[in-house]
Amino acid sequence: MEALHAVFGHPVAHSLSPRIHAAFGRQAGIALRYEAIDVEPAGFAAALAAFAARGGSGANVTLPLKEAAFALCTEASERARRAGAVNTLVRGEDGAWRGDNTDGSGLVRDLTQRHGLDLRERRTLLLGAGGAARGVAPALLDAGIGELTIANRTSARADALADALGDPARVHVRYLDDLAAQGEFDLVVNATSATRGGELPALPMALVGPRSVAVDLSYGDAAIPFLAWARAAGCRQSVDGLGMLVEQAAESFRIWHGVRPETDAIHAELSNRAPALVTAD
Ligand code: ATR
């Protein structure tokens, strides 16, 4: 029987996930149907119940529903608990939803395997402390980065993320306005949603140098302002979030179907399309 899966989000019409999962299904010889379901947080629980009633057995969850998905899971993986957010749902035999979060491992896999970066001891700056930042910070720490500096417009939120990470020896919080005094970072990760709206927080050029790598968790048009800044500031390499998207999808696919698909072909296919997308699911 055809497996029924979906991505839930708002907006979700432009999500690449249906296309990615269809390609994975063809590759693995697994018959699946993968839908995009647009729903706001208030309607999410009901929409998920209706999906389950139609036979839905697994789902991805994107903005702005990842925290809501975490809240309605009866069980969540350790990495989902550390992120406080869920991007992958699996329906158990008893009908209850189990949550996981593959965003952070997707990012780390993209950086290390596709881009050949060694993350160990990298002095890292994380811009933002919202859901996207929470999703990737634990995996970056687990990958062995050195110091992790979190800078966010609202400093209380950066403090809360640092507390949740529970690694005071490596994790520090700095004001966005004080970044000029922090010296050069090896890795700068943009996890703010600011650039999705076309705004880039003022960033000092001194943050990066010829050894630095800049990463935007968004892709397409949304990644342009930050990655253009990074190139102008002299970064060695700039990476958008398309690879992370494909890798988190592959990890979700593995959780649902037990096989990890090969990702290079779909990544190459999607890299060639016109940059016109704004969401990061
Ligand atoms: P997401 O799930 O995409 O992370 P979010 O949880 O709403 O969305 O978080 C958005 C992040 O982008 C936050 O870090 C937010 O900063 P605040 O915590 O101060 O709101 C950041 N952000 C959004 N717009 C911004 C802007 N114009 N300048 C700087 N940071 C911005």
Side-chain angles (χ1 to χ4, degrees):
M1 203 187 75
E2 199 178 55
L4 176 62
H5 292 161
V7 55
F8 289 80
H10 180 69
V12 82
H14 294 292
S15 170
L16 294 175
S17 293
R19 196 166 148 194
I20 295 171
H21 281 275
F24 289 164
R26 280 193 301 276
Q27 190 194 116
I30 293 172
L32 58 90
R33 182 179 159 81
Y34 190 106
E35 303 176 348
I37 299 177
D38 193 315
V39 62
E40 292 186 44
F44 178 49
L48 192 63
F51 173 70
R54 288 196 290 125
S57 56
N60 284 129
V61 180
T62 187
L63 306 178
L65 304 173
K66 292 182 186 182
E67 286 85 1
F70 177 70
L72 64 72
C73 285
T74 40
E75 205 190 312
S77 66
E78 201 228 329
R79 58 191 181 177
R81 288 199 304 273
R82 281 170 82 195
V86 155
N87 81 332
T88 305
L89 288 165
V90 186
R91 195 159 61 93
E93 303 268 299
D94 56 355
W97 291 100
R98 182 180 178 281
D100 203 341
N101 193 318
T102 64
D103 285 333
S105 67
L107 174 67
V108 166
R109 192 174 174 104
D110 180 56
L111 296 179
T112 57
Q113 314 274 309
R114 179 168 290 107
H115 296 284
L117 297 172
D118 183 353
L119 298 180
R120 285 170 302 173
E121 300 304 325
R122 298 294 109 186
R123 185 165 189 254
T124 301
L125 172 63
L126 181 62
L127 299 167
R134 280 211 312 274
V136 300
L140 288 170
L141 290 168
D142 290 350
I145 60 164
E147 194 182 301
L148 178 67
T149 297
I150 304 170
N152 192 48
R153 179 178 60 181
T154 310
S155 56
R157 230 172 157 195
D159 289 335
L161 173 56
D163 286 349
L165 291 170
D167 191 345
R170 281 196 290 171
V171 178
H172 314 286
V173 171
R174 297 284 177 265
Y175 289 109
L176 272 176
D177 293 343
D178 287 345
L179 286 180
Q182 303 305 319
E184 226 170 88
F185 290 89
D186 303 312
L187 182 66
V188 181
V189 178
N190 179 30
T192 73
S193 59
T195 40
R196 273 181 244 144
E199 279 176 66
L200 180 67
L203 297 172
M205 296 273 186
L207 283 182
V208 293
R211 290 186 311 131
S212 309
V213 176
V215 180
D216 199 309
L217 300 188
S218 300
Y219 55 89
D221 283 351
I224 290 173
F226 176 69
L227 296 182
W229 171 85
R231 279 189 289 272
C235 279
R236 172 164 67 87
Q237 198 174 348
S238 56
V239 175
D240 74 4
L242 185 63
M244 169 179 162
L245 172 74
V246 171
E247 296 305 328
Q248 63 78 27
E251 178 66 4
S252 295
F253 192 92
R254 188 192 63 74
I255 291 168
W256 294 328
H257 304 293
V259 236
R260 189 171 219 290
E262 189 282 320
T263 53
D264 285 346
I266 186 73
H267 182 263
E269 187 184 318
L270 295 173
S271 303
N272 291 332
R273 55 180 286 138
L277 292 147
V278 290
T279 59
D281 88 270

